[in-house]
Amino acid sequence: MPTMPTDLMTGLRDIFATYFDTDGLTDFALALGVDYEDIPGSTKKAKARELALYLWRHSMLPALAETGPAERPDIDWSLLEPYAPLAPKPADNGSAPPATRLDFTDIQKLLPVLSAYPLFQTPDGRNTVLAISGVAPFVNLDLNGSAQQVASSLLVKLNEFGEIAPSDTAIGRLLAFIAADGALPPAHREVIAAVAAKYNLAIG
């Protein structure tokens, strides 16, 4: 799992320790679905640091980026902007906005494609895929384990993240990277192309 950036960790720690008393932080953690009593640390500052690390390890920064401003609009949460999920774009001319998340059935179709991808067979190779495809900043994932396990977790997490920018999704970036591999089996390329067309994902 990638290490949490130091500036992000210290920034969140300082926010939690400065703007919340113990009861307030307990309630705030509860709003995020975290039991504050389970967070280690003997002082408020130590628990604030561990809470920041917990949220990073469990890929909860997008939830924090939504809950923080909603619960405490008086706090500057701008350090979380890279992790905030974007709101759906309004429909144009009465048409529905394009879906930014895939159905579970389509995730299942992509699973064998990603798990069989040669570069996805080792943790180092998986890290390379995440880095080169440009999705590493959007997902915190243990890259150890079987290719199928890691592929399943990655697809689900990228799908949950949704849109990064207009017409740019996390899962679309991953599919574009794989589709650009000239050695990709034609059957796998067809699966990616069909899913991309269904959700209007730019992969070419």
Side-chain angles (χ1 to χ4, degrees):
M1 180 180 297
T3 302
M4 185 177 190
T6 301
D7 57 344
L8 178 61
M9 187 272 288
T10 56
L12 288 178
R13 178 203 64 193
D14 292 344
I15 285 175
F16 295 151
T18 302
Y19 292 96
F20 295 87
D21 58 20
T22 300
D23 288 341
L25 198 52
T26 300
D27 292 341
F28 185 70
L30 186 61
L32 289 165
V34 178
D35 187 344
Y36 184 70
E37 297 302 320
D38 290 342
I39 301 296
S42 57
T43 66
K44 187 175 75 166
K45 193 165 188 177
K47 289 180 79 77
R49 180 187 67 246
E50 291 300 322
L51 176 59
L53 290 169
Y54 178 94
L55 296 173
W56 170 265
R57 288 194 300 267
H58 290 81
S59 302
M60 295 179 67
L61 294 189
L64 176 61
E66 289 186 315
T67 302
E71 295 282 331
R72 291 294 303 271
D74 57 308
I75 297 174
D76 180 5
W77 298 97
S78 58
L79 79 172
L80 290 172
E81 285 178 1
Y83 306 94
L86 297 182
K89 294 180 293 184
D92 291 327
N93 301 323
S95 62
T100 57
R101 297 188 183 181
L102 279 57
D103 290 337
F104 177 74
T105 53
D106 292 311
I107 292 291
Q108 290 295 98
K109 293 175 185 176
L110 293 171
L111 179 56
V113 175
L114 180 57
S115 60
Y117 190 58
L119 199 54
F120 209 75
Q121 303 311 304
T122 66
D124 285 346
R126 295 162 191 166
N127 191 53
T128 299
V129 170
L130 295 183
I132 298 178
S133 64
V135 301
F138 309 109
V139 60
N140 306 313
L141 188 67
D142 184 355
L143 299 179
N144 297 299
S146 71
Q148 184 159 358
Q149 275 183 322
V150 179
S152 177
S153 297
L154 176 60
L155 288 170
V156 168
K157 286 184 180 296
L158 289 179
N159 194 44
E160 288 174 352
F161 196 92
E163 202 172 40
I164 298 167
S167 302
D168 183 11
T169 61
I171 202 163
R173 287 189 181 188
L174 177 68
L175 298 182
F177 170 79
I178 297 173
D181 188 336
L184 190 70
H188 288 183
R189 192 180 306 281
E190 289 173 8
V191 170
I192 292 177
V195 171
K198 179 177 179 181
Y199 294 92
N200 197 25
L201 302 176
I203 63 169

